[in-house]
């Protein structure tokens, strides 16, 4: 369970990093940063949802 908590925290940090990267891309007009942030953000959100479903199924009696 500690591994899943650490993985969830890592996903949260990556999603936050993607948001910062997207903001930096918008303010500096670097559209490649925005593309990378959106692509990475979608991947990490999907992985986070899969992890949450796995944890939910593990905790069901």
């Amino acid at each position: 369970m500690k591994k899943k908590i650490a993985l969830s925290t890592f996903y949260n940090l990556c999603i936050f990093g993607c948001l910062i990267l997207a903001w930096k891309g918008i303010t500096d007009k670097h559209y490649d940063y925005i593309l990378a942030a959106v692509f990475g953000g979608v991947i990490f959100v999907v992985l986070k949802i899969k992890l949450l479903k796995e944890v939910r199924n593990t905790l069901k009696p």
Side-chain angles (χ1 to χ4, degrees):
M1 191 57 120
K2 290 180 184 180
K3 180 182 174 185
K4 292 184 182 186
I5 292 172
L7 192 58
S8 178
T9 304
F10 176 71
Y11 288 159
N12 285 336
L13 289 174
C14 289
I15 292 168
F16 184 69
C18 287
L19 288 173
I20 291 173
L21 184 64
W23 180 255
K24 185 73 171 166
I26 290 170
T27 57
D28 293 343
K29 293 187 171 53
H30 286 283
Y31 299 111
D32 50 344
Y33 289 179
I34 299 170
L35 180 66
V38 169
F39 183 71
V42 167
I43 289 173
F44 286 119
V45 167
V46 168
L47 289 173
K48 174 90 175 170
I49 291 170
K50 284 184 180 182
L51 180 66
L52 289 175
K53 285 182 180 180
E54 183 181 329
V55 168
R56 188 176 301 143
N57 288 336
T58 304
L59 295 177
K60 279 187 177 178

